[in-house]
Amino acid sequence: MTNRRKNSRDEDVNFRALRILESNPQISQRELAKALGISLGGINYCLNALVEKGHVKIANFRSSQNKIGYIYELTPEGIAHRAILASRFIKRKMAEYDALKAEIESLQADMHANVPVEDG
């Protein structure tokens, strides 16, 4: 996998994680991993990187029955970073959409060009 593709994939995971954490700060790492379709170790790595960059702050959820429960809070830097990632995500997805649409149109043109004409 090229570095560019890996970076895009990592950005997509970070963006989606930030969106989920913003709307559900009490989510467990296991639930977040499942929602993103990545391993528990992968989400742990992702969260640690977001914390290290100052985009997410982790706090104990004191009133939780689960004493190891945490709240994941987006910092102001995290909110700004999510907005940047959202813009990049939209640009990538629009480019993918345009490429897919062009490929479908090309395949449809090929298909129509290769369909035998029936004499009536």
Side-chain angles (χ1 to χ4, degrees):
M1 179 180 301
T2 65
N3 279 345
R4 186 177 191 173
R5 224 196 282 156
K6 182 183 180 318
N7 289 342
S8 294
R9 189 192 61 192
D10 289 350
E11 272 193 6
D12 287 355
V13 169
N14 287 344
F15 168 63
R16 293 172 56 222
L18 289 169
R19 284 189 69 204
I20 292 170
L21 292 173
E22 187 172 39
S23 64
N24 188 4
Q26 296 174 15
I27 194 169
S28 72
Q29 287 188 17
R30 189 171 306 281
E31 292 167 332
L32 185 58
K34 185 176 181 181
L36 297 175
I38 62 175
S39 70
L40 187 56
I43 201 59
N44 187 274
Y45 178 83
C46 174
L47 287 171
N48 285 333
L50 291 170
V51 168
E52 188 176 304
K53 292 175 184 175
H55 298 152
V56 172
K57 182 171 73 171
I58 301 176
N60 285 331
F61 184 45
R62 303 209 189 283
S63 63
S64 173
Q65 302 257 340
N66 176 3
K67 297 301 178 193
I68 60 170
Y70 297 103
I71 292 177
Y72 300 95
E73 299 173 338
L74 269 63
T75 64
E77 294 84 5
I79 292 168
H81 185 64
R82 183 189 47 74
I84 291 167
L85 292 178
S87 176
R88 291 180 188 164
F89 181 84
I90 290 168
K91 286 178 186 173
R92 272 194 311 278
K93 294 303 175 184
M94 289 302 296
E96 289 174 18
Y97 169 78
D98 291 340
L100 186 57
K101 186 177 175 185
E103 184 177 3
I104 289 169
E105 288 170 356
S106 174
L107 289 170
Q108 286 176 329
D110 288 348
M111 190 173 70
H112 290 301
N114 293 323
V115 172
V117 177
E118 292 184 25
D119 290 331

